[in-house]
Amino acid sequence: MPDSQQPEVGQERLIGALMFHVEHSLRPRVVDVGAGYGKWGKLLAQFNQRLTVDAIEIWHPYIERHSLPEHYRRVYEIDARKFDQWDSYGAVILSGADRLRSCRRL
């Protein structure tokens, strides 16, 4: 996966809306739940260098294999259901229907 990515169709509007929300928030921080290979960390860094983007990734091999600390300010290796710092973030990225189902229980 190249470091410089182009947004897929539809992602540009999502990124624009996210940037607007976060820039007008008292908490200009985003957390990416289930960061995987770091797609959102890479994309958001291209749009706003001042934005703080952290990640939650429970699977340690992904953290190492995809060098997540290079793309996120902080990587939390934890189950999102046990994460207790949600109030620190102006936005939460949940991509994938399986994550959305799981997070309803948070």
Side-chain angles (χ1 to χ4, degrees), residues 6-57:
Q6 295 299 315
E8 296 173 17
V9 174
Q11 288 180 339
E12 292 161 341
R13 288 179 41 187
L14 176 63
I15 291 169
L18 181 64
M19 289 295 114
F20 179 84
H21 173 75
V22 171
E23 287 173 358
H24 292 86
S25 170
L26 296 176
R27 297 169 298 200
R29 297 175 64 197
V30 175
V31 63
D32 181 4
V33 179
Y37 64 85
K39 170 175 136 180
W40 287 104
K42 295 172 191 177
L43 283 172
L44 294 174
Q46 293 176 27
F47 283 86
N48 187 332
Q49 296 291 323
R50 296 175 298 155
L51 180 65
T52 299
V53 185
D54 295 339
I56 296 174
E57 179 55 62

Side-chain angles (χ1 to χ4, degrees), residues 51-87:
L51 180 65
T52 299
V53 185
D54 295 339
I56 296 174
E57 179 55 62
I58 194 170
W59 202 43
H60 187 77
Y62 264 17
I63 295 171
E64 288 185 356
R65 182 181 310 144
H66 301 296
S67 305
L68 294 184
E70 294 177 18
H71 308 293
Y72 295 93
R73 181 189 63 118
R74 180 177 294 150
V75 177
Y76 298 96
E77 187 176 343
I78 189 172
D79 184 323
R81 293 172 293 184
K82 296 178 181 175
F83 188 68
D84 63 358
Q85 299 181 41
W86 299 109
D87 290 341

